[in-house]
């Protein structure tokens, strides 16, 4: 791997990790386009490293909320309509990540066997359909009971955690897509679903990346440290600005827009690369 490849993959990871288009799917498709095998030990280690860059970015964006969850400070209520009687706490986070972590731990080898291009292309389409339906349901059928992050109930946090399992079993479905859409199907607003999705990404990605790093840390040799460091920095910078822009434009950029992008990407890749 050279520095150009490192920069390209760092950009792809940063752009796609936290928006509902599937970073895993994009990494699999991009490595194929670049002529790399994404299942080699060095490539898998590199992907873990650049994921850590993205994690650091989201932690920086939500640092006040993280400190609040840990009891080190207090953030102001997100709404000034009335004082909040309840707040998001660590149990919400636990319920949001536990189902996916349990499934990923016990089905790790099976899940890894699904990491190929055809699976990703089908998942891009299926995930897009799921997102369009959830947006329609949220607008026309759902009773919104959680307009902001602190309104989230324990049941809604658990439901989001259960929906996240879909992305664990189906590479390319998108973790953020399944959690944001799952929240909207559970009576959570688009904004609050996105906030919770980004927040629970920190512990679940740390756990997943840390576990993978236990298997692959020996590949962090001096020969690749420079390339890995560049990928880490690029992923961090790009992911930080992507999240900031996404949250500012969240009322203009709907899930349907991301779904259309997923359909177009799957179609183009199928027509021009697979055939």
């Amino acid at each position: 791997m050279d520095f150009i490849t490192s920069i390209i993959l760092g950009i792809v990871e940063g752009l796609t990790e936290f928006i509902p288009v599937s970073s895993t799917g994009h990494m699999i498709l991009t490595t194929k386009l670049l002529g790399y095998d994404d299942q080699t030990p060095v490539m898998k280690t590199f992907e873990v490293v650049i994921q850590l860059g993205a994690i650091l970015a989201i932690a920086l964006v939500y640092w006040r909320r993280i400190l609040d969850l840990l009891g080190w400070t207090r953030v102001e209520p997100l709404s000034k309509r009335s004082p909040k009687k309840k707040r998001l706490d660590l149990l919400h986070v636990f319920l949001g990540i536990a189902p996916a972590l349990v499934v990923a731990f016990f089905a790790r080898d099976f899940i890894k066997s699904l990491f190929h291009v055809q699976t990703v292309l089908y998942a891009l389409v299926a995930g897009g359909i799921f997102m369009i339906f959830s947006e329609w349901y949220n607008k026309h059928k759902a009773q919104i009971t959680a307009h902001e992050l602190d309104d989230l109930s324990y049941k809604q946090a658990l439901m989001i955690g259960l929906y996240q399992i879909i992305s664990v079993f189906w590479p390319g479905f998108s973790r953020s897509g399944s959690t944001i859409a799952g929240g909207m199907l559970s009576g959570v607003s688009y904004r609050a679903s996105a906030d919770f999705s980004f927040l629970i990404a920190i512990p679940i990605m740390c756990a997943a990346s840390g576990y993978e790093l236990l298997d692959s840390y020996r590949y962090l040799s001096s020969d690749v440290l420079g390339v890995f460091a560049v990928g880490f920095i690029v992923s961090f910078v790009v992911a930080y600005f992507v999240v900031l822009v996404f949250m500012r434009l969240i009322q203009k950029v709907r899930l349907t827009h991301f779904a259309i992008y997923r359909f177009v990407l799957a179609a183009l890749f199928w027509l021009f690369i697979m055939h």
Side-chain angles (χ1 to χ4, degrees), residues 88-106:
L88 192 81
D89 57 37
L90 288 175
L91 182 55
H92 288 96
V93 175
F94 175 78
L95 293 172
I97 67 174
L101 287 178
V102 170
V103 169
F105 180 79
F106 287 104

Side-chain angles (χ1 to χ4, degrees), residues 24-87:
T24 300
H26 276 73
M27 291 297 290
I28 292 173
L29 298 180
T30 304
T31 52
K32 180 176 177 61
L33 286 173
L34 293 174
Y36 288 90
D37 180 1
D38 68 307
Q39 293 303 302
T40 62
V42 173
M43 183 60 72
K44 289 195 292 184
T45 305
F46 176 75
E47 290 178 2
V48 171
V49 169
I50 60 177
Q51 272 191 340
L52 292 174
I55 295 170
L56 180 60
I58 201 71
L60 185 61
V61 172
Y62 284 88
W63 70 272
R64 290 184 183 276
R65 174 63 71 170
I66 294 170
L67 293 181
D68 180 52
L69 285 170
L70 297 174
W72 293 347
T73 185
R74 301 295 293 177
V75 297
E76 292 298 319
L78 299 181
S79 170
K80 296 183 179 180
R81 293 173 297 178
S82 61
K84 290 288 180 181
K85 294 183 179 180
K86 60 180 181 179
R87 301 189 69 85

Side-chain angles (χ1 to χ4, degrees), residues 133-144 184-185 187:
F133 172 75
S134 70
E135 193 161 75
W136 172 86
Y137 184 87
N138 187 263
K139 183 177 180 180
H140 297 285
K141 297 291 185 179
Q143 181 181 357
I144 308 300
M184 295 173 72
L185 289 172

